Structures are given as structure tokens and as C-alpha cells.
Amino acid sequence: MPDGQLKSWSEGCAVNECVALTFDDGPSDFTTPRLLDVLADANVPVTFFVLGGQADTFPDIVRAEHDAGHEIASHTWSHLRLPSLDEKQLASEIDDTNRVLADITGMTPTLLRPPYGATDDAVAAAAADAGMAQILWNIDTRDWDHHDPAQTIAAAAAAGPGSIILMHDVHASTVDAVPGVIAALRGRGFTFVTVSQLLGSTTPGERYFSG
Ligand code: NI
């Protein structure tokens, strides 16, 4: 097995300190392919919370993410605030995305990240209906806000064991930060895993902020 990579939680995160890098809002044809190169060079698996609409537009990029061993998860179809939707809209935001991702990767996602982290009991019920756990985060780099690689690196470097780190692969400044993020966390001895590897089995509808 390549250095610094784990096949499952049981093989490693019980004894090694793991963190999960996560990237939302893509794929972008401007920035995501370069991120994939950076991650391949560093041999780091991550989790992509993709938008269904973007995945439908750029299926080859999602396929490349999947083929490189990254985890493909859902960030809904169109990035709406889910608690403001009725039951039917909510189901289509989740189900349409899962259908497109299953078509591309052959796997139906089991992890859902509600846009803005906005969720409520109805969202939890819809996620549970779709067999999906809700994945939030405990380290927010705010990369989308400041567009400053140094700030993104500093925020990510504050992670602890089991942290789920939020970034966005649609910003060039975030891709610029990723080598520094990886170096900082590797320097502290962390092993990079996907969210599913970090959490092991999850309960549909349940919210998770860290491993
Ligand atoms: Ni988002």
C-alpha cells in the first residue's frame, strides 16, 4: 500500500492520527484538474462533495476523481438552502444528484453535505430516506472568503485527530494552498483518509462533524 494511505478505518485510524480533506462545489474545469494533479503527486486521497449540476456538466472530471481513488459524495444538485425547500424539491436535490453520480461512477453516494451546513429535521429525514449520512466539518478554512493560500494553510494546520477540513476546489487560490496544507499536516504526523475511511460505517440521517 502506498505510504500514508489507508484502505479502511480499521487498518489505521485507530492507531494513526487521521484527517480528511474535503472539497465542495465542484467539479470546475478551471481548477479541479490541477487539484487532481497536486493530489496525485502527493499521494493524498480526499473527498469531493460535488454538485449534481456540475457533475452533469463535467462527468469526465468526476470520473477522473473516482478513478484516482478519491471519494465522491453529494453536495446536492444546485446548492440551495435545504431547510427552505418543500419535501419534493428536497428529494429531487438529493435523488437527481445521486442518479447522475451513480451513472458516472457506478456507485451511489452515501454521504451528503448540506450547502452552507444548513440542515434541520426535514433534511435529516430526507437524507435518511436516501440512505445518506450528513457530513459537516470541524475545520473551516474559509478559503472561499479570503482567497489567501497562507490563511487556508494556517486554518487547515489547526486540525486535530479526526478533523474534517472544509475547502472548495472551485478557487485557484485553494488549489495553490493544497501543497502547503498537505505539508503542514504531514509534518504533524497526520495520515490523509477519505471521510468514509475516517468515519467507518455511518448512520443515515445522522450528522457528523469529525471522526
Ligand atoms: Ni458549498
Side-chain angles (χ1 to χ4, degrees), residues 24-25 75 79:
D24 289 13
D25 297 0
H75 198 35
H79 213 276

Side-chain angles (χ1 to χ4, degrees), residues 16-196:
N16 296 295
E17 295 191 331
C18 294
V19 292
L21 303 182
T22 69
F23 294 91
D24 289 13
D25 297 0
S28 155
D29 57 338
F30 290 109
T31 47
T32 307
R34 182 161 67 93
L35 175 60
L36 286 172
D37 288 344
V38 168
L39 296 173
D41 285 348
N43 193 26
V44 167
V46 305
T47 303
F48 288 101
F49 288 91
V50 304
L51 292 172
Q54 290 297 107
D56 195 36
T57 307
F58 303 114
D60 291 349
I61 302 178
V62 176
R63 198 170 296 115
E65 292 170 344
H66 175 73
D67 289 350
H70 303 299
E71 179 164 31
I72 308 301
S74 172
H75 198 35
T76 74
W77 189 268
S78 53
H79 213 276
L80 302 172
R81 270 184 193 277
L82 300 184
S84 66
L85 303 183
D86 65 32
E87 203 176 324
K88 197 175 155 212
Q89 292 171 311
L90 192 47
S92 86
E93 281 288 320
I94 294 172
D95 297 343
D96 293 353
T97 303
N98 285 358
R99 203 168 301 120
V100 163
L101 295 181
D103 279 351
I104 298 169
T105 68
M107 294 170 69
T108 302
T110 57
L111 306 180
L112 172 71
R113 175 168 281 164
Y116 314 103
T119 185
D120 63 6
D121 289 346
V123 175
D129 280 350
M132 305 179 84
Q134 301 186 79
I135 307 301
L136 289 304
W137 55 84
N138 70 343
I139 296 288
D140 186 352
T141 63
R142 296 192 65 81
D143 57 336
W144 58 271
D145 183 17
H146 51 66
H147 294 276
D148 177 1
Q151 286 189 55
T152 297
I153 294 165
S163 279
I164 296 175
I165 301 168
L166 172 62
M167 291 180 277
H168 299 79
D169 56 307
V170 295
H171 304 297
S173 52
T174 297
V175 181
D176 293 343
V178 169
V181 167
I182 291 169
L185 293 169
R186 273 211 171 124
R188 293 182 52 211
F190 287 115
T191 298
F192 296 98
V193 292
T194 65
V195 171
S196 284

